[in-house]
């Protein structure tokens, strides 16, 4: 009877036996998987060891030991971790040792991002500009091809200090001619921004021209706007108008922010009419001026005493829905006071409060100055009292206005009372105001009161002007008490 078990051929049996006993080489995908796994294990060991060992461990030794334990090579991530940890622990002295091993021993291609971060650390964190430059030059030694990204990182570092700016030209020459790195628009923007910051606008404009002539890059609006903003910040009228012409030549239209900066410069230089023209041009370019633009132009036309135009502008703001702020109201109220329309100024304060726009100390100082100017000092003091009720404290300017007004009216004792009040608040009176009070009190025979005022003032380390001492010393009948004499000697350095 035939067996039911099939016969296995000798050839197949030998194949299975051979396959079982023979040692095949490890497949490539298996080797890569095993290598990645080992490196991951080594990395985890490095992280664990760095956090559990004693304070300030030798991280380079930990790195070597961790990867040696798993018989695999360190990775770029492991070196990045070591650098970050050294930085966090302020172990900056170990960084050169890490870099030396990375350069001399390791074989992998180091990512450029590694050097970008380290350049920023040297420049911004440690203020070691020379080390940042040296590292940039050494990048090829680490099996890495430097690009404009690492160059820009270095330029950003160098352009932040005067010492670094002096090194920019040398770095550019070597990076372009020796390291074959081509500058990009971003590189020019970094340098142009730096030149603007140090007010070298002529050089910044030269770079704009160089971008197009030598590199074929067309400077964009952002670059021109950056220069324009910095030129306006400096506030030189001729420079601003010169670059404005340059701006328009290339076909760019000013933005709302550019117009605001330009208007500020014009008003600051007493060009209120030109500022108004720019406001109209801004609107013709399709932009709606904001409250800042209107306030600046309003200030300009009021300074030029074109009060009719100021009224038109203020009404225009309200019609267009541009809500005035406290600065706008302060400018407008100042214009009313210049026209001696003081009551209208007080009505405007009531209007502000209805709009929930709280007047500030500048608002009230403007009104106090106006009423004191027309001799209504008592009304000015009432305004100061009202300010206190509303929780708005007077500042040094408030008291100086009132004191000068009282002196002008000959109300010397009240002026002395305000001297004392402002000194209690920590405000310093004007030497000229104090001189005037002391002199006029002596003239009126109020010598004793003058000495009391003087004593209270000098006790608070406030030195009167020379005129005060001259007046007192010329009065032969003066009887200085000990406190006044001591204070006098201390202040005049006897």
């Amino acid at each position: 009877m035939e067996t039911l078990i099939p016969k296995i051929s000798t050839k197949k049996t030998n194949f299975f036996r051979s396959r079982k006993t023979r040692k095949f080489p490890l497949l490539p995908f298996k080797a890569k998987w095993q290598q990645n796994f080992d490196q991951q294990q080594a990395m985890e060991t490095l992280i664990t060891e760095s956090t559990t060992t004693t304070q300030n461990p030798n991280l380079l030794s930990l790195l070597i030991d961790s990867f040696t334990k798993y018989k695999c090579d360190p990775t770029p991530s492991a070196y990045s971790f070591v650098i970050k940890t050294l930085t966090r622990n302020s172990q900056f002295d170990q960084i050169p040792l890490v870099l030396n091993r990375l350069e001399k021993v390791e074989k992998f291609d180091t990512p450029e991002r590694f050097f970008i971060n380290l350049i920023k650390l040297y420049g911004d964190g440690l203020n070691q500009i020379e080390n940042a430059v040296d590292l940039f030059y050494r990048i090829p030694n680490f099996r890495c091809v430097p690009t404009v990204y690492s160059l820009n990182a270095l330029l950003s570092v160098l352009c932040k200090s005067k010492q670094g700016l002096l090194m920019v030209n040398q770095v550019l020459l070597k990076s372009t001619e020796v390291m074959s790195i081509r500058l990009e628009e971003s590189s020019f923007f970094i340098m142009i921004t730096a030149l603007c910051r140090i007010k070298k606008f002529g050089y910044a404009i030269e770079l704009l021209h160089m971008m197009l002539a030598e590199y074929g890059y067309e400077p964009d609006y952002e670059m021109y706007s950056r220069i324009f903003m910095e030129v306006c910040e400096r506030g030189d009228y001729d420079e601003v108008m010169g670059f404005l012409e340059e701006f328009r030549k290339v076909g760019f239209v000013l933005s709302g922010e550019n117009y605001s900066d330009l208007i500020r410069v014009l008003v600051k230089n007493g060009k209120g009419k030109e500022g108004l023209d720019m406001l109209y041009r801004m609107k013709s370019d399709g932009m709606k001026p904001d409250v800042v633009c209107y306030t600046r132009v309003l200030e300009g036309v009021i300074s030029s005493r074109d009060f009719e135009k100021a009224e038109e502008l203020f009404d225009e703001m309200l019609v267009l829905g541009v809500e005035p702020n406290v600065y706008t109201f302060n400018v407008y109220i100042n214009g009313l006071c210049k026209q001696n329309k003081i009551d209208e100024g007080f009505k405007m304060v009531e209007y502000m409060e209805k709009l929930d726009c709280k007047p500030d100390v500048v608002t009230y100082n403007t009104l106090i100055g106006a009423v004191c100017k027309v001799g209504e000092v008592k009304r000015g003091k009432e305004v100061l009292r009202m300010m206190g009720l509303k929780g708005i404290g007077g500042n040094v300017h408030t008291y100086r206005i009132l004191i000068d007004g009282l002196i002008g009216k000959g109300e010397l004792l009240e002026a002395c009372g305000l001297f004392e009040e402002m000194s209690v608040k920590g405000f310093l009176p004007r030497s000229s105001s104090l001189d005037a009070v002391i002199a006029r009190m002596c003239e009126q025979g109020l010598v004793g009161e003058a000495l009391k005022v003087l004593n209270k003032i000098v006790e608070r380390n406030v030195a009167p002007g020379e005129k005060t001492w001259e007046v007192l010393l010329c009065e032969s009948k003066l009887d200085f008490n000990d406190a006044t004499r001591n204070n006098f000697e201390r202040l005049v350095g006897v």
Side-chain angles (χ1 to χ4, degrees), residues 156-172:
S156 297
V157 166
L158 296 178
C159 288
K160 290 178 181 178
S161 66
K162 184 176 181 180
Q163 176 191 0
L165 284 169
L166 297 175
M167 304 171 70
V168 168
N169 189 48
Q170 179 185 356
V171 168
L172 289 177

Side-chain angles (χ1 to χ4, degrees), residues 399-442:
Y399 284 96
R400 286 175 173 176
I401 294 171
L402 286 170
I403 288 172
D404 289 345
L406 290 169
I407 294 172
K409 292 201 70 176
E411 299 177 7
L412 304 180
L413 294 179
E414 288 192 46
C416 292
L418 282 183
F419 271 132
E420 185 175 353
E421 184 177 329
M422 73 181 297
S423 63
V424 169
K425 293 180 180 291
F427 300 141
L428 297 179
R430 287 192 187 96
S431 295
S432 57
S433 300
L434 185 58
D435 289 345
V437 168
I438 297 295
R440 293 188 64 175
M441 290 179 77
C442 290

